[in-house]
Amino acid sequence: MGKERLVNYLNQLQNENKNLFVPYIMAGDGGLNKLKERTLFLQNCGVAAIEVGIPFSDPVADGPTIQNAGKRSLDNDTTLTAVLEELESFKDERTVTIIIMAYSNPIYRYGIERFTASCVHAGIDGLIIPDLPLEEEKMVTDALQQSSVAFIRLAALTSSRERIKTLAHRSEGFLYAVTVTGTTGVRTSYETKVKTYLHQLKQQSPVPVLAGFGVSTSKQAKELSSYCDGVVVGSKIVDLFHEGKTEEIKQLIQASI
């Protein structure tokens, strides 16, 4: 489990000349009992990993789709503890790698060392904390370094070259390249500067680079993957699950990888 498994699985897919596709799902959207069903469905679709979002009342990086999914989840009384317990309950049925996306406040309230231990018990392979800047990440890195959980960093379009270099060399598993200056949500196109930015990240990063925020079609996924190693798709996956369009999810994934 953990970063070694994540790295090995990503390497295996890349050796098979596949683009890496990481879908995002909101835990508790539609009920926490949906988490196992959706995870195993995505696993069977051949994804590289699954990013499991923890609902939070002040999701600063999320656009309307994921904010609404988070609200639906909170209305279902979803908690961080409940999500970790649910993931632990079917960890032996999973072969896909699991990444938790959580804001810093719920983790801090849970207790960082306790949270890290719970992630290990639940078979979590990686962690993303979108509101934790590089300068303050020591609040979690000491505990994470004693565990098997990979800490995945995010790079922004506005990041300096020096900051990109630091983020790339600190990120574990993969580097998450944010391709817009704003929140998550469906976009129709990407500017030339995004491609230049992804190229710079690839030059600096010893781990795979995955582009996220706004990817909604297989055409976009393939286009961005030609400049990096793959994509993270959130809002589109969340929408399709909410609408019950699982066959469209499968088609999107298969056309993207």
Side-chain angles (χ1 to χ4, degrees), residues 224-237:
L224 289 172
S225 295
S226 69
Y227 295 94
C228 56
D229 300 289
V231 294
V232 179
V233 180
S235 296
K236 188 65 176 180
I237 298 289

Side-chain angles (χ1 to χ4, degrees), residues 111-142:
I112 293 156
E113 291 185 0
R114 177 176 165 239
F115 171 74
T116 303
S118 295
C119 283
V120 172
H121 289 309
I124 306 305
D125 302 286
L127 173 65
I128 297 171
I129 309 177
D131 63 339
L132 187 66
L134 198 62
E135 293 78 12
E136 297 174 23
E137 64 176 32
K138 192 168 172 58
M139 67 175 276
V140 299
T141 51
D142 288 349

